[in-house]
Amino acid sequence: MKKIFYSIAVVGLIMTASCSDDFTKTDQESTFSDEKIDKLARFPEAALLLPESIEAGAYYTARASNIGETGTHEDFGQKSIDITMDAMGQDMVFGGNAWFVFHYTYQMRVEGLRGTKMHFYYYSKLAHNANLIMQSIAKYDDNFKNSTVYARALALRGFANFNLMKVFANGDMGIPYEYYDHEGDRKLKQKLNRVPSKEVYQLIESDLLEAYKLLNGYVAPNKGIIDKYVVSGMLSRVYQHTGDWVKSKDYAFKALGENLSAVDFGVVNDGFSNINNPDVMWGSDIDGSSTTIWASFFSHMDTQNQGYGSFNDITKMVDARLYAQINDKDKRKDWFYDGKKTLVSPSLGVTLDANNLAMYSNLKFVDPSRFMGDYIYMRKSEMLLNYAEAAFESGDEGGAKTALDNLMKTRQEDYNVNAFSGESLRQEIRLQRRIELWGEGFAFTDIIRWKVGLDRTKAVTVNGKLIESNHGIVPGTKFDIPAGSDRLRYQFPISEINANSQLRPQNP
């Protein structure tokens, strides 16, 4: 792992720039200075956006771009990863060739291309920065294990390693990882081999459980700061992927403050660009000093705005088969263009209709500020769906129905949860999850953990009508991949394979 840890040690001053590929300047240093690490240690969550951009003790940036060292406008941190995870699913359709299209075609999962590099470098840097924070705190505070900043760094390390495991682990073969040896010589150390998956998940679980314990009673000053509810949500996600459904249910409940009520849809449905929305649990507040402009989530995902995913460029659309399964009385149907309505862009004020909007175009994500929409990483609505799924899978069908009904009654007033039971309830929970979390980064990893494979070709029957897939606008993208296929897994970047002889075997 020589290459990645050298790369991590490069501290970049990310400058404001025009829309071009040359928008980063790096300060080649062999290590982070104590001053810079101390500054990061005050706000470890900044590493989600700025793992390379701490300079002169300040967060001076207008771009969190090039975090994965790919030099492209699809490389801007956590939300860029979220887009790739949806692009590799079956519910998002690309209307043409644009940024992220090679993730959509599954070419980016292979060792020599930037997609796997972006994913691996981003989370490896995030975990590395978390370890540096722990080291910095322990250097000055003998009571560091009781520090809330230390706890939040633990949470970030667990979050990063978990996200690496989801796409790079192959059965019992996990990932290499770095850790801070706080019991020994207090240095950073690496396990360079493919550590067994069980051991990596034990580390992830230990990190998050310790963070949860330390953050008990801590009140975060804003939603950009991790608290025990966010850590509970992380734990619910981890147990969801490991199949420990009782714990996944328990921590989803804790994440919700032990309250299964849903936030009203009228409140939730604000364009998903406001961190202060009551449904938001965790995110990043984006403003004029932190916007990444063209290389940003809303540039790619706000159809009504100016950007790469706008009505003037290549929109992201919903799969026609999923759209057909959204009840006509479900308010979320308006998240996608029906081919009839006339709209006015909130950010640009221009009229949008069938002349400039493709059928099924995404209308869910709306940034009225033009490139200063906030980033959302976790919502209460997701936790309700986590609870519903975990309750069902652990044998609590009543609890699953309660959580699902609470969510759905705010979306569809005449929703009848009692129409489902047994396998039909499982499929209904999964369907509503696919609808609710569309575009939020769960599609690819959900099909992996459900062991259902990728389906972009088969028609579905909805209310007696056969609905065909609308994948294939981009040639070569209308394909299926069976569950368990090697294609549903990333290869490690070739730069890491070449630099680390212990990182074997490579994923197929």
Side-chain angles (χ1 to χ4, degrees):
M1 297 183 76
K2 178 180 177 182
K3 169 67 168 62
I4 183 63
F5 290 119
Y6 173 79
S7 299
I8 291 166
V10 176
V11 181
L13 171 58
I14 302 178
M15 308 291 288
T16 56
S18 62
C19 180
S20 70
D21 287 339
D22 184 20
F23 48 73
T24 60
K25 294 184 179 180
T26 54
D27 175 17
Q28 300 287 336
E29 296 180 2
S30 60
T31 59
F32 280 109
S33 68
D34 287 347
E35 178 187 13
K36 290 174 181 176
I37 294 308
D38 289 346
K39 297 299 182 181
L40 178 58
R42 298 179 188 178
F43 183 41
E45 292 83 355
L48 281 164
L49 286 174
L50 314 175
E52 291 187 310
S53 58
I54 309 158
E55 181 68 17
Y59 301 111
Y60 180 74
T61 181
R63 292 185 181 276
S65 305
N66 205 34
I67 289 169
E69 300 182 13
T70 68
T72 74
H73 279 198
E74 62 183 32
D75 185 355
F76 45 87
Q78 181 59 42
K79 295 308 291 183
S80 64
I81 300 295
D82 288 348
I83 295 176
T84 68
M85 294 295 94
D86 275 287
M88 295 181 70
Q90 65 191 35
D91 295 329
M92 181 180 286
V93 175
F94 276 55
N97 289 305
W99 291 118
F100 296 101
V101 73
F102 292 117
H103 299 271
Y104 181 53
T105 62
Y106 271 64
Q107 292 168 270
M108 284 296 184
R109 61 162 290 275
V110 300
E111 62 182 16
L113 295 183
R114 67 176 180 264
T116 186
K117 180 181 177 183
M118 180 175 77
H119 200 109
F120 186 80
Y121 281 16
Y122 170 62
Y123 287 116
S124 294
K125 290 176 183 181
L126 184 59
H128 178 72
N129 283 349
N131 282 316
L132 289 173
I133 291 164
M134 295 180 209
Q135 187 180 44
S136 177
I137 295 169
K139 180 178 179 181
Y140 300 109
D141 185 0
D142 290 336
N143 196 32
F144 67 94
K145 285 189 177 181
N146 292 320
S147 163
T148 57
V149 178
Y150 183 84
R152 285 151 45 203
L154 278 172
L156 282 177
R157 186 173 72 178
F159 174 80
N161 284 327
F162 172 55
N163 279 283
L164 286 170
M165 284 292 292
K166 285 194 294 183
V167 300
F168 287 103
N170 185 356
D172 189 48
M173 293 186 296
I175 59 170
Y177 68 80
E178 181 190 66
Y179 63 99
Y180 170 58
D181 183 14
H182 57 78
E183 298 291 353
D185 56 14
R186 296 195 173 185
K187 293 181 179 179
L188 299 188
K189 297 182 178 180
Q190 303 106 38
K191 292 197 173 185
L192 300 176
N193 60 306
R194 296 199 66 173
V195 180
S197 294
K198 183 177 180 180
E199 180 183 330
V200 183
Y201 271 115
Q202 286 173 342
L203 174 69
I204 293 166
E205 181 183 33
S206 174
D207 282 352
L208 295 178
L209 288 175
E210 182 69 10
Y212 178 82
K213 181 180 74 173
L214 292 174
L215 291 171
N216 190 36
Y218 169 73
V219 178
N222 58 67
K223 293 180 181 179
I225 305 294
I226 293 170
D227 61 15
K228 71 173 184 178
Y229 300 105
V230 173
V231 176
S232 296
M234 292 177 181
L235 280 162
S236 178
R237 290 175 178 176
V238 170
Y239 292 130
Q240 191 181 53
H241 278 263
T242 59
D244 195 334
W245 295 110
V246 172
K247 290 181 180 177
S248 181
K249 172 188 169 185
D250 181 38
Y251 279 98
F253 192 53
K254 286 181 168 70
L256 291 163
E258 302 186 353
N259 183 350
L260 293 180
S261 61
V263 178
D264 184 78
F265 183 74
V267 175
V268 171
N269 191 37
D270 68 345
F272 300 89
S273 57
N274 180 9
I275 194 176
N276 294 314
N277 188 294
D279 194 46
V280 175
M281 296 175 60
W282 181 37
S284 288
D285 189 358
I286 306 298
D287 58 22
S289 67
S290 58
T291 176
T292 52
I293 313 177
W294 287 87
S296 69
F297 180 78
F298 288 100
S299 170
H300 294 280
M301 294 299 295
D302 184 356
T303 304
Q304 303 174 68
N305 208 334
Q306 183 181 18
Y308 293 125
S310 75
F311 59 93
N312 284 324
D313 211 304
I314 305 299
T315 62
K316 311 295 188 298
M317 301 178 290
V318 67
D319 187 331
R321 300 169 300 172
L322 181 62
Y323 180 80
Q325 294 178 77
I326 306 175
N327 191 286
D328 288 342
K329 295 181 180 179
D330 189 330
K331 299 168 186 175
R332 295 172 300 179
K333 199 129 189 174
D334 288 338
W335 283 350
F336 310 103
Y337 189 60
D338 64 0
K340 301 174 184 177
K341 293 178 182 175
T342 297
L343 309 169
V344 177
S345 164
S347 55
L348 304 176
V350 299
T351 299
L352 304 174
D353 56 25
N355 292 314
N356 47 20
L357 279 179
M359 181 69 178
Y360 307 121
S361 288
N362 147 53
L363 303 174
K364 177 179 177 179
F365 301 103
V366 181
D367 172 21
S369 67
R370 297 179 69 179
F371 301 128
M372 287 190 286
D374 298 335
Y375 286 176
I376 296 172
Y377 308 133
M378 186 180 292
R379 296 197 288 128
K380 291 179 181 178
S381 296
E382 178 210 339
M383 289 301 120
L384 266 178
L385 288 163
N386 281 15
Y387 183 95
E389 182 179 3
F392 175 83
E393 299 295 347
S394 62
D396 180 11
E397 190 165 306
K401 286 186 174 182
T402 296
L404 182 61
D405 192 53
N406 288 352
L407 178 79
M408 289 304 299
K409 281 291 176 62
T410 71
R411 274 74 172 154
Q412 179 186 332
E413 292 179 1
D414 64 350
Y415 186 78
N416 179 18
V417 75
N418 292 319
F420 308 98
S421 63
E423 181 59 26
S424 69
L425 179 58
R426 171 186 281 131
Q427 296 305 321
E428 176 66 7
I429 292 169
R430 291 182 179 183
L431 172 65
Q432 298 308 330
R433 180 179 176 87
R434 288 166 60 197
I435 296 168
E436 181 69 28
L437 301 180
W438 187 94
E440 297 182 49
F442 298 93
F444 178 62
T445 52
D446 276 353
I447 65 173
I448 293 173
R449 68 182 182 83
W450 289 337
K451 298 179 174 62
V452 296
L454 182 77
D455 174 11
R456 290 183 180 171
T457 65
K458 302 177 187 68
V460 299
T461 300
V462 181
N463 298 325
K465 185 177 180 181
L466 193 67
I467 308 297
E468 299 285 348
S469 165
N470 56 329
H471 287 282
I473 299 171
V474 176
T477 57
K478 193 171 185 177
F479 55 79
D480 293 346
I481 301 175
S485 169
D486 290 331
R487 293 184 70 192
L488 298 174
R489 183 179 300 112
Y490 276 38
Q491 292 185 320
F492 291 94
I494 190 62
S495 54
E496 295 304 307
I497 292 290
N498 290 339
N500 176 12
S501 62
Q502 296 184 50
L503 186 53
R504 303 288 189 277
Q506 170 69 291
N507 287 331

